[in-house]
Amino acid sequence: MLKRYVLRSKVKISDVSDQYDVWAAWGSDIEKSWENERHWTVARSGAAEPVWDADANWPWGTDSLKIRDRRGVGLGYRLLVRRGDRPQESSTHDTQSSEAYTLHRFLHGVPEGVTDIVPTQAFPMDSNLDIMGGLDFRKGCYVGQELTVRTYHTGVVRKRIFPVVVHHPDHGIDDVKASSHHSFPAGLDIRPNVIHAPGDNTGTRARPRGTGKLLTTLQGVGLALLRLEHVDAFEHGELKLTFESEDADASKTLWGVTPWRPSWWPRLINEDEDH
């Protein structure tokens, strides 16, 4: 994949996966020195770009084999360490499992890998690549560039990947323990269900169009691709979001989904805006 982009550049690429391990480190006071409040450029389409201070240092840091993970506020660092060695940060941080990192990423609303960002199916803005600083809307040609830029300038972002809690459909997020021991396959349809308030005499309202998709989950927390109109209606108490999963005995169980908007997201996406 990488060699495809070398073209005529005098660059040699070698696979050294058997020589290095990838580590993540977060939660130290050092991060506060460079992890400041984000500033954004937001298009009418709902697409957004982080604006880095031109007078400040390189946003991703300049340390060798260490990079600031700017995909979301609070993610910390990513490090390459010689296989068998431990990073210097292990003396000042607690060592956790890879699942702890996955949960950390979920809680910050950051998708990663082919399960969260499905090849040939995912759209960049739907997958929050713009918010994570992974898109340049002024760059020249790249695969999908024309559609991406057209959406930025004249289209509308209608979906986003949200962090979610899975729970009993009638108990809310206080019952997350019920789902924490279940494993849910990716790709399950999340359906909107209209809530009728007591005394509502408006008749039967049609179910909103479209569905969402459950992506990766772990211990009752995960990521889901949801329509923004569904999330807005959910936040106003007009909808419930649910999906069905198949149990070991082939019976069906209904689960509720509660999304939230990470506090570091740009204001246009974090506020009740018309998308």
Side-chain angles (χ1 to χ4, degrees), residues 36-40 72-74 106-110 131 162-163 260-271:
N36 300 316
E37 182 182 356
R38 292 284 169 95
H39 299 282
W40 306 89
V73 174
F106 286 170
L107 294 174
H108 287 76
V110 173
I131 300 175
F162 285 83
W260 78 89
R261 305 172 190 255
S263 60
W264 64 271
W265 275 10
R267 182 176 180 275
L268 184 63
I269 299 171
N270 230 4
E271 297 285 331

Side-chain angles (χ1 to χ4, degrees), residues 107 163-167 172-176 179 220-222 256-260:
L107 294 174
V164 297
V165 174
V166 180
H167 52 80
I173 60 175
D174 292 335
D175 193 38
V176 66
S179 65
V221 181
V257 173
T258 293
W260 78 89

Side-chain angles (χ1 to χ4, degrees), residues 94-212:
D94 295 329
T95 302
Q96 301 288 337
S97 67
S98 60
E99 286 190 351
Y101 166 74
T102 300
L103 289 172
H104 176 65
R105 180 169 60 82
F106 286 170
L107 294 174
H108 287 76
V110 173
E112 182 178 285
V114 296
T115 303
D116 297 337
I117 307 173
V118 183
T120 74
Q121 296 182 29
F123 286 94
M125 277 84 87
D126 293 1
S127 301
N128 302 341
L129 294 188
D130 54 334
I131 300 175
M132 296 190 293
L135 288 177
D136 188 333
F137 296 103
R138 288 154 296 280
K139 187 182 180 298
C141 285
Y142 55 86
V143 176
Q145 181 256 358
E146 182 178 348
L147 175 60
T148 300
V149 172
R150 187 166 66 244
T151 301
Y152 179 84
H153 289 292
T154 63
V156 177
V157 179
R158 301 188 185 279
K159 300 178 183 178
R160 286 284 184 187
I161 291 179
F162 285 83
V164 297
V165 174
V166 180
H167 52 80
H168 187 283
D170 296 324
H171 295 171
I173 60 175
D174 292 335
D175 193 38
V176 66
K177 183 182 254 188
S179 65
S180 61
H181 302 296
H182 288 260
S183 177
F184 302 107
L188 295 176
D189 286 338
I190 298 175
R191 301 185 181 280
N193 302 275
V194 177
I195 296 175
H196 293 281
D200 185 357
N201 299 318
T202 57
T204 303
R205 289 181 289 175
R207 194 185 77 188
R209 62 181 179 178
T211 60

